[in-house]
Amino acid sequence: MPTSTGSPKQLVLVRAVVLVRVIVVSSWHERDPPSRRSRSVCARTRGRPDGAYSRTQRVLLFASSRALPCVQLTPSARLGSRLLRRHPGRRAGDQTRRALATDRQPERASAAGQPGPALLVDSARYHAGARDAEATSIADAARLSRQGPGFVWVAVSQPAGGELDELSGCFDLPALAVKDALEGHQRPKLEQYGDCVFIVVKTVRYEEATGQLDIGELDVFVGARYAIVVSRSAGDVSGSIRRRIDGYPAVTALGPMAAVWAVLDTVVDDAERVTDLLLDRAQRIEQAVFQGDRDQSESIYLHHRRVDQLGRAVHPVLAVFDTLHRGEPVMSPDGVRALLSDASDHARRLSEEVELLSGRLDGLLSANLSRVTVRQNEIMQKVSAWAAIAAAPTIITGIYGMNFHHIPELTWPFGYAFALVVMVAAVWALHWNFRRVGWL
């Protein structure tokens, strides 16, 4: 191995580079025999086939090779996969593993050359209120929508950007609506893009055990021959929607607007169940406020925040119902319009309940603060009463404890007993008076 001499700064640089290379190679943690593990850094890394370390390792190795040419390291194509496959539990460096996982995803995507298939939850063609053909892929569903009567129902869960592009290309969906569906976190709304109607609604799910309120999103694309639901919710929302579509064949026979009713009715019913659970929780907090002694400000605030989240998901849906009730942007069949009107009434009642619950929690927070103030006043009254009781014998003891020679009671034979009687009488009188006024 060639050596080089130089200034102390160069020697420090060489040692730092060697240390970096040792850290990179030791993170591999390969199970080799002791004879192989005892080899030098150069021997362990020289001769590996060209490929790819993680991006972090490649940068460090390249920089060290440029600074220290005595050790030539070639990247290994199998280093990342062997590290994750053979030693998943080894602490080879969290940062290195994250870099490996990040690098391998773009490589797989570029090798595929096209977006992967979306997570198709359910897809079928409905004709005369019944499912007459099943679809196994997005392309198959698009083919069914162009063949035969009826409409195609498609439910997709948690799609990525490429998967939405595939869906958009097969059904010719509007680009702006697809962009909103990709970005997510949209306010509930209804928009029209030519022959396609785009509806966004929020789903709610409440875990009573943990007190966690999950807000999901449903993006609905409705055309003349299709109804597509893109779900970003943790619950089985698509299954509930399908049960409604299959359970009302007379309504399903009216076209894709039946799927719109099924979506909105499912969202409203789920929100009603969550509202009932939040109402029960509010009642338990009320009992804790008025029957317990602990401060419930934190519980009230957290519950109020959940109710506000529910209100932000429920209130804007009323505008969607109003637009559909006016026959905009598409006129719903009479059978679907009656069901939409019923769901709209439920949504309005639900919105009012959420507002009342929010106001109820505001009042409960004020009542809790008042209770805390009252308890503090009661504590101060008790402390003040006992301080006054203790002050009476203290005063008497202090008077007769002064070092004066001419205090008449000091030479009186009954002076000690008299002082004790006075102190006991003063304590009893004060205690009786404080109990009478309610301080003790």
Side-chain angles (χ1 to χ4, degrees):
M1 178 183 298
T3 58
S4 61
T5 59
S7 64
K9 292 184 179 180
Q10 292 177 343
L11 294 178
V12 171
L13 177 60
V14 169
R15 293 175 181 175
V17 170
V18 171
L19 178 61
V20 168
R21 306 188 75 165
V22 169
I23 293 174
V24 173
V25 176
S26 64
S27 67
W28 184 26
H29 247 301
E30 182 178 4
R31 292 181 180 177
D32 292 336
S35 60
R36 293 184 60 188
R37 286 198 300 267
S38 61
R39 296 177 185 178
S40 64
V41 175
C42 298
R44 290 193 60 176
T45 55
R46 186 185 298 119
R48 297 197 180 278
D50 289 340
Y53 282 96
S54 70
R55 185 172 302 172
T56 305
Q57 290 176 323
R58 289 200 303 270
V59 171
L60 292 174
L61 294 177
F62 175 76
S64 61
S65 298
R66 300 289 292 179
L68 185 62
C70 67
V71 181
Q72 297 296 331
L73 293 180
T74 2
S76 171
R78 295 184 297 272
L79 176 63
S81 60
R82 294 174 69 182
L83 175 62
L84 294 177
R85 183 177 67 253
R86 298 183 58 182
H87 306 286
R90 296 288 184 91
R91 292 187 175 273
D94 295 339
Q95 185 175 1
T96 304
R97 285 199 296 270
R98 287 196 297 268
L100 281 168
T102 305
D103 289 343
R104 289 167 60 184
Q105 292 177 358
E107 291 171 1
R108 288 198 300 264
S110 60
Q114 56 184 0
L119 181 55
L120 187 63
V121 177
D122 184 32
S123 180
R125 184 177 64 191
Y126 284 85
H127 174 56
R131 297 166 71 99
D132 67 343
E134 299 284 342
T136 58
S137 64
I138 298 295
D140 192 19
R143 180 183 56 81
L144 290 177
S145 67
R146 294 187 291 267
Q147 298 175 358
F151 72 96
V152 171
W153 153 260
V154 179
V156 183
S157 177
Q158 307 290 345
E163 298 161 351
L164 278 179
D165 291 339
E166 178 189 2
L167 193 65
S168 174
C170 291
F171 285 92
D172 193 20
L173 301 179
L176 291 178
V178 173
K179 180 182 177 182
D180 289 344
L182 176 61
E183 293 177 352
H185 305 288
Q186 301 292 320
R187 180 180 175 86
K189 61 182 179 179
L190 187 150
E191 296 176 345
Q192 183 180 14
Y193 298 91
D195 297 334
C196 178
V197 177
F198 179 60
I199 302 175
V200 180
V201 291
K202 295 291 186 180
T203 62
V204 291
R205 186 168 176 264
Y206 180 61
E207 294 289 345
E208 192 171 8
T210 60
Q212 181 70 27
L213 182 66
D214 296 326
I215 304 295
E217 183 175 315
L218 294 180
D219 301 316
V220 186
F221 299 87
V222 184
R225 300 292 304 279
Y226 61 82
I228 303 172
V229 173
V230 177
S231 174
R232 300 185 185 276
S233 176
D236 185 21
V237 182
S238 300
S240 301
I241 297 173
R242 176 182 171 178
R243 285 190 290 272
R244 281 173 169 78
I245 296 176
D246 295 340
Y248 295 86
V251 180
T252 306
L254 299 177
M257 289 303 296
V260 175
W261 161 76
V263 170
L264 295 177
D265 192 62
T266 300
V267 169
V268 173
D269 284 353
D270 291 345
E272 284 182 339
R273 285 191 288 269
V274 171
T275 303
D276 292 339
L277 293 176
L278 294 181
L279 182 59
D280 294 340
R281 174 62 178 166
Q283 291 176 350
R284 291 194 294 270
I285 294 177
E286 282 184 349
Q287 294 178 356
V289 168
F290 292 104
Q291 298 179 5
D293 295 332
R294 299 184 58 184
D295 183 17
Q296 300 295 328
S297 298
E298 182 178 359
S299 300
I300 299 172
Y301 171 77
L302 294 177
H303 198 59
H304 200 303
R305 187 172 63 181
R306 299 187 197 103
V307 174
D308 290 342
Q309 292 176 346
L310 178 62
R312 287 193 296 270
V314 170
H315 298 324
V317 179
L318 301 180
V320 176
F321 280 109
D322 291 340
T323 305
L324 292 174
H325 183 72
R326 293 193 301 266
E328 301 173 358
V330 59
M331 183 64 68
S332 303
D334 292 338
V336 177
R337 189 183 305 173
L339 293 174
L340 287 174
S341 178
D342 179 70
S344 176
D345 292 340
H346 284 273
R348 295 183 187 281
R349 179 175 57 83
L350 178 62
S351 178
E352 293 175 357
E353 290 181 357
V354 172
E355 290 182 357
L356 291 176
L357 182 57
S358 179
R360 182 176 180 178
L361 290 174
D362 287 333
L364 186 59
L365 182 60
S366 301
N368 178 74
L369 295 177
S370 300
R371 291 272 300 176
V372 171
T373 304
V374 170
R375 284 196 294 269
Q376 290 177 350
N377 292 336
E378 291 176 351
I379 293 173
M380 290 301 300
Q381 288 176 353
K382 292 180 179 180
V383 171
S384 301
W386 284 112
I389 292 173
T394 302
I395 293 175
I396 298 176
T397 304
I399 291 174
Y400 287 101
M402 293 184 294
N403 296 322
F404 292 109
H405 296 286
H406 301 286
I407 299 179
E409 292 81 2
L410 293 180
T411 57
W412 187 31
F414 303 102
Y416 177 71
F418 177 76
L420 291 179
V421 169
V422 171
M423 286 189 287
V424 170
V427 168
W428 176 83
L430 290 174
H431 186 271
W432 174 81
N433 182 67
F434 285 130
R435 286 183 61 88
R436 182 179 62 84
V437 298
W439 282 35
L440 292 177

